[in-house]
Amino acid sequence: MRAARLIKMVLLLQTRASMTAAELARELEVSERTVARDAQALSEAGVPVYADRGRTGGYRLIGGYRTRLTGLARNEAEALFLSGVPGALREMGLQDTASAARLKVSAALLPSVRDASHTAAQRFHLDAPAWFSEPRTPELLPSVADAVWDDRPIAARYRRDDSEVERALEPYGLVLKAGVWYLCARVADTEDFRVYRIDRFTAVGLGSARFRRDEGFDLPAFWRERAAEFARSVLRSEVVVRLSPEGVRRLPHVLDPATAKEALGTSGAPDGRGWVTLTLPVESEDVAHERLWGLGPEVEVLAPASLRERCARDAARSASLYR
């Protein structure tokens, strides 16, 4: 533990001209007294750590000293490729690993480009969760992430409707979609790959031996295919509507943009007022009612009759409120 801390201290001083005891204590998560003892230990070991006294003083390396202890461990190298998604790293329990990897990379860079990580972080940031939703980290996510990294099978128990189901799974990959974590896994002893929401897991047991991974598995391609299948599967109903020019413009804002674009591409020619008639695939009549209501007088529902009547009643109620 102390050896790792001493190495980190050297790397920190190597990447910066000088650091105060308070700054080092904060980075190393120790007290300033421990920083002083560690600096003394490094000096006695031959590392030229020099302490400047006074209010503006601090610790620095002298004589252009550079350590060669910059090699990345495998887990650090893997975590480094996820550094652009800090929230995901934190939720999977990899924040410290990625921090160590970034520090080693910075230490190996030339002084002229050593601040690249800082300048990039100040210009680009990925915030995965959707608006107006409180992101919640699934309690079992770190355990599942460990299994994914190590290719270890899991015995998972998860909620399905009103019951719990147990499955032996080979976890292949994790996907973060709009703030929700999913596991892409193969059911043990089969060729059946499935997708599971991790927040529905109630228990996860990690196996001791590793499973043999199918090297032909392509996580991004698999997810794109399953996501497209899911999007098609939930659109079980159809509604026929007339849209004003303003309704056409606003339709992608109240429905899935891809679905709206596809439907508009199959619409007929505009009538004399510029209105178009088209068929929209929707999840259900309830969902269609909720979404289309956002278009107000820019949409007229033609079918099904039950939805048209429902919209007519709502329009009458709204009109009576504003008389």
Side-chain angles (χ1 to χ4, degrees), residues 161-183:
D161 298 327
D162 296 328
S163 61
E164 287 195 353
V165 179
E166 293 187 5
R167 286 285 186 274
L169 302 173
E170 296 174 353
Y172 268 65
L174 291 169
V175 175
L176 177 61
K177 172 71 171 178
V180 179
W181 284 96
Y182 297 89
L183 172 67

Side-chain angles (χ1 to χ4, degrees), residues 31-306:
S31 66
E32 293 186 28
R33 181 173 297 181
T34 298
V35 169
R37 287 199 298 265
D38 286 350
Q40 180 64 30
L42 288 171
S43 180
E44 292 174 355
V47 179
V49 178
Y50 181 77
D52 292 315
R53 304 294 180 182
R55 177 178 297 179
T56 60
Y59 292 91
R60 60 187 175 89
L61 294 174
I62 60 175
Y65 179 85
R66 293 183 64 80
T67 178
R68 294 184 178 274
L69 293 172
T70 53
L72 290 176
R74 180 177 180 84
N75 65 334
E76 293 172 338
E78 291 170 335
L80 189 61
F81 286 100
L82 292 172
S83 292
V85 197
L89 281 170
R90 182 175 57 254
E91 292 179 5
M92 289 190 291
L94 296 173
Q95 189 174 23
D96 291 342
T97 301
S99 176
R102 287 193 298 268
L103 187 58
K104 289 183 178 182
V105 170
S106 296
L109 294 174
L110 294 173
S112 59
V113 295
R114 196 167 288 159
D115 66 342
S117 62
H118 174 74
T119 56
Q122 294 306 311
R123 287 163 174 79
F124 302 98
H125 178 70
L126 176 62
D127 186 9
W131 286 106
F132 311 117
S133 60
E134 184 66 26
R136 295 181 180 179
T137 303
E139 182 179 348
L140 296 174
L141 176 60
S143 297
V144 175
D146 286 344
V148 170
W149 283 116
D150 294 339
D151 293 339
R152 294 170 62 189
I154 61 174
R157 190 165 66 246
Y158 66 97
R159 295 187 301 275
R160 188 171 68 182
D161 298 327
D162 296 328
S163 61
E164 287 195 353
V165 179
E166 293 187 5
R167 286 285 186 274
L169 302 173
E170 296 174 353
Y172 268 65
L174 291 169
V175 175
L176 177 61
K177 172 71 171 178
V180 179
W181 284 96
Y182 297 89
L183 172 67
C184 301
R186 180 168 62 185
V187 179
D189 301 322
T190 74
E191 297 300 321
D192 185 14
F193 283 88
R194 299 183 184 181
V195 176
Y196 301 86
R197 279 186 58 146
I198 295 182
D199 57 5
R200 293 179 181 171
F201 284 6
T202 58
V204 171
L206 275 64
S208 56
R210 293 184 174 182
F211 64 87
R212 179 169 297 186
R213 189 180 184 89
D214 179 359
E215 296 302 328
F217 179 79
D218 184 334
L219 179 61
F222 172 80
W223 178 258
R224 283 195 301 270
E225 179 182 340
R226 290 304 173 92
E229 289 178 1
F230 174 76
R232 289 192 298 268
S233 69
V234 299
L235 302 177
R236 300 188 181 96
S237 303
E238 289 185 343
V239 298
V240 182
V241 300
R242 291 178 66 242
L243 291 172
S244 70
E246 175 64 13
V248 169
R249 187 189 69 81
R250 289 166 50 187
L251 185 64
H253 299 286
V254 299
L255 294 182
D256 170 64
T259 302
K261 181 179 179 180
E262 183 177 347
L264 289 169
T266 60
S267 65
D271 63 16
R273 298 170 53 202
W275 286 58
V276 297
T277 300
L278 66 154
T279 300
L280 294 173
V282 293
E283 294 96 316
S284 66
E285 186 175 308
D286 287 339
V287 172
H289 174 260
E290 178 183 348
R291 300 288 177 83
L292 293 175
W293 188 247
L295 293 177
E298 309 304 329
V299 61
E300 177 188 2
V301 174
L302 302 179
S306 57

